[in-house]
Amino acid sequence: MRRPRHLSPEERALWDKVADRAKPLHPQQSKPDNISQPKEQKKSKQPTPGFRVGQTTSGARPHDILPDVTARLAGAPVQMDHKSFGKMKRGKLVPEARIDLHGMTMAEAHPELLAFILGSQSVGRRLVLVITGKGKDRDTGGPIPARHGVLRHQVPQWLALPPLSQAVLQVTPAHIKHGGHGAYYVYLRRRR
């Protein structure tokens, strides 16, 4: 059996303030007198600083939880041959096929990407180009930040999840001559 949690003196005082301001649903019923007073608890050594609604904090903190897609992909370990990887990043390898998702919604782009990647692997292609576009800047300055380029951020996540993860060996931003930050090189595994 769980022991009942008792309110601290601060919590009790706050509750009493709220209860005094509340209007009872049934005014004929009286307030119960059998509420037990909590035991005195030790106060914390560090008091919590005061906070008011609408108060701003000092120092700007980034709103984005994850680092930029380019930074995440650059920090990912190289799964393919290092020599081929270097050529691919410099734009020396020519993609065997490409898909342009630019202008599509997420609901339209996901099945297209799925069919393209799995179809390319089944045909035996190794390097394909996925064009997402850089995206529009839609940040309205609200409390919840909007991502710059929804597909640009979503495509690497789709490629890392099943069923595409079994087909993809490496994902990296494309060289400027193949679309730069608005496109990705996707190096596929050989079909077994």
Side-chain angles (χ1 to χ4, degrees):
M1 186 166 133
R2 291 180 71 179
R3 295 172 57 194
R5 181 186 176 279
H6 296 288
L7 299 176
S8 70
E10 293 87 17
E11 292 172 327
R12 184 66 190 173
L14 180 62
W15 176 252
D16 288 339
K17 280 184 181 178
V18 171
D20 288 342
R21 292 182 187 166
K23 294 179 183 176
L25 289 175
H26 306 287
Q28 61 273 17
Q29 294 179 350
S30 62
K31 187 176 169 182
D33 294 329
N34 59 354
I35 298 176
S36 62
Q37 294 295 327
K39 296 176 184 176
E40 189 66 30
Q41 295 181 350
K42 294 180 182 178
K43 292 189 176 185
S44 64
K45 293 179 183 178
Q46 294 180 338
T48 307
F51 179 78
R52 290 178 290 125
V53 175
Q55 173 183 343
T56 58
T57 57
S58 61
R61 294 189 329 211
H63 293 288
D64 209 1
I65 295 172
L66 292 174
D68 186 44
V69 175
T70 310
R72 281 187 286 152
L73 291 176
V78 178
Q79 302 291 329
M80 57 187 282
D81 176 50
H82 285 278
K83 187 174 180 180
S84 298
F85 181 73
K87 285 181 181 179
M88 182 177 68
K89 283 192 70 153
R90 290 190 308 273
K92 301 291 183 190
L93 295 181
V94 179
E96 300 169 47
R98 63 181 230 149
I99 184 171
D100 192 352
L101 304 176
H102 187 252
M104 292 186 186
T105 64
M106 285 178 49
E108 295 166 344
H110 189 253
E112 292 288 326
L113 179 68
L114 194 70
F116 174 73
I117 296 294
L118 296 178
S120 293
Q121 186 192 31
S122 67
V123 174
R125 295 183 185 127
R126 293 305 302 272
L127 180 63
V128 295
L129 184 68
V130 177
I131 301 168
T132 61
K134 293 183 181 179
K136 294 180 182 176
D137 190 8
R138 296 186 181 157
D139 192 7
T140 59
I144 300 174
R147 286 221 181 259
H148 184 74
V150 176
L151 286 179
R152 186 172 152 246
H153 286 273
Q154 194 62 43
V155 165
Q157 293 175 3
W158 287 338
L159 294 170
L161 295 172
L164 296 178
S165 61
Q166 58 83 24
V168 175
L169 187 63
Q170 191 79 44
V171 179
T172 188
H175 187 268
I176 192 72
K177 72 180 183 182
H178 290 129
H181 292 294
Y184 294 105
Y185 291 130
V186 181
Y187 200 80
L188 302 174
R189 296 180 194 275
R190 284 196 173 97
R191 192 161 182 221
R192 296 176 188 189

